Amino acid sequence: MVKQPTTKNQSEGFYRLISFLSPILFLFSWETLVRVGLLDYRFFPAPTMLVEIFVEMIGSGELWSHVSISLMRVLAGFALGALPAISLGLLMGWFRAVYAFFDPLIAAIYPVPKIALLPLFLIMFGLGETTKIVTIAVAVFFIVLITTVNGVRLVDPILTDVARSYGAHGWRLFARVIFPATLPAIFTSLRLGMGIALLVIVGAEFVAANSGVGYLIWTSWATLTVKKMYVGLVLIALLGVLSTQGLERLRKLTMPWAQDFHTPR
Amino acid sequence: MTAEISILHVGKTYTTPQGGVVALDDISLVVPPGEFLCIVGPSGCGKSTLLRMLAGISSHTSGEINCRAVDERQRPLTAMVFQEYGLFPWRTVLDNVMFGLEMRNVARRERIVIAQDYLAKVGLAQFARAYPHQLSGGMKQRVAIARALANDPAILLMDEPFAALDAQTRYLMQEELLRIWEADRKTVLYITHSLEEAVMLGDRVAVMTARPGRIKQIYPIDLPRPRTQALRTSVAFNQLVATIWEDLVEEVNAAQLQEWTAIAEQKGRTGWLNSQQRKTRVKVSTD
Ligand SMILES: Nc1ncnc2c1ncn2[C@@H]1O[C@H](COP(=O)(O)OP(=O)(O)O)[C@@H](O)[C@H]1O
Ligand SMILES: [Mg+2]
């Protein structure tokens, strides 16, 4: 029978409630510990103090200026890396010759932590935006590429058998079967890629920027404005959550047939 | 009457990194139009290989396969139903059923009408917009059958289609398949590992030898149609099953011996093989 979501909803609400509990408890204890003086507010400012500075930074526009520039870098680098990676990954997964041609090169470059290439890109592109965007793009490219290639190779052979038995071949087989069958793997690769993009942007902005969330965190340390550092940490976490949710929404839109990741079955 | 399918001295050798695997060697079989032919044989004897060649997803390496009905590209007009269903998870039930028609460039309007018609025939009209993951195993296989029939093949190929289903569902599906088949009597090649299923469904039952598989013997099943599960209790039914089993069990034993020999060779231990051989003579069980 078709499965109906009947009793599931109420238990789902219960689990959602539980998930809220731990952060609230955490923030509450933190606040209390600072108030009673067990935590030094100069290093661990209480959550309420952070809210204060947060609001202040929104008002002055400082917050948005950092977030927007980081967002721009991440999104540009992400797109620049992911789109070619998906295309090449599909080709490498599907055509043995394309795989054989590119594989040695990729196997050689893949293990290099991409942030280590930042100095090289600084030499090539200077201190401007290009350097940061390219570093993110390269990091995203490799992880998305490799996950996509694997995705194509793991397409259930029964699906290609069925398609072939109905006369599908060449481009049609690729577009109607291989590509949709690889979509779940592609979305997994995009999630991984987004995580890496955030890692790289923070690293790059630590050393080679004078704006952005990474820069905010770094200079706050250097100038001992610890509260702003915490704001930076919260912001980068927010960027992570928002981007993951954006991808999740895109995934649901593109793959209405797919089951939810977290629903146990 | 011209044969629907004639398979003459056909061989198939798979090339693997370890060398060639001879799956079939000189198999011959002639199937008249409208026949429901069941094929049984020990696992690994090349049954799936045979069907895959007829379905056009594998090629033979020797001999000749001729089908009466072919399309513009000289491909036999076959449609295959797999044990694993093989539904496309990203397509709705209706879109799955339309797949073959789409590949043949049938206009969309027409595709929808045909697909809905066959969905109704397998009793799933109201599930047209569902996705495969929302269906049970039996329903999935109904969709796969509708997809095959919608393509209007001259030959329906079925490779252990109900093997993954529970017994009750399997019985229902068998009756349903018979009901659909009675309506237009297409030629069916039906592979099963259940001799009872073969006798239940087939006009004839072909027994294959251990690998490389050949047709060992073909038994006509002169049981009246339309058939229902009530047939299982009849004497004639059980006699047929018992007779064919005697023939089949020899091949099952031979196949088992082949398998053990291969394992023993890998292990380099012949003593182990001898002890296994003494234990052989598989217990008789037919389902
Ligand atoms: N793609 C393949 N490559 C190599 N060997 C194969 C392949 N497919 C099947 N075989 C071998 O061919 C033989 C027949 O297989 P198959 O037709 O699947 O048997 P059956 O369906 O009767 O169980 C088996 O020994 C199997 O291991
Ligand atoms: Mg098989």
Side-chain angles (χ1 to χ4, degrees), chain B residues 130-149:
Chain B
Y131 282 102
H133 76 87
Q134 298 173 297
L135 306 181
S136 71
M139 293 163 89
K140 283 181 190 158
Q141 198 58 298
R142 281 166 203 250
V143 175
I145 290 171
R147 177 172 64 185
L149 293 174

Side-chain angles (χ1 to χ4, degrees), chain B residues 2 4 8-9 40 56 71 115 121 127 130 154 165 180 185 205 232:
Chain B
T2 48
E4 183 75 65
L8 295 173
H9 308 294
V40 294
D71 67 8
K121 278 190 183 154
F127 292 94
L165 304 177
I180 294 169
R185 299 237 171 181
V205 174
R232 286 175 185 275

Side-chain angles (χ1 to χ4, degrees), chain A residues 27-42 44-49:
Chain A
L27 289 176
F28 183 77
S29 328
W30 183 356
E31 183 80 35
T32 320
L33 288 173
V34 177
R35 299 248 164 180
V36 299
L38 281 170
L39 274 178
D40 186 338
Y41 72 91
R42 283 168 305 173
F44 305 101
T48 45
M49 300 175 183

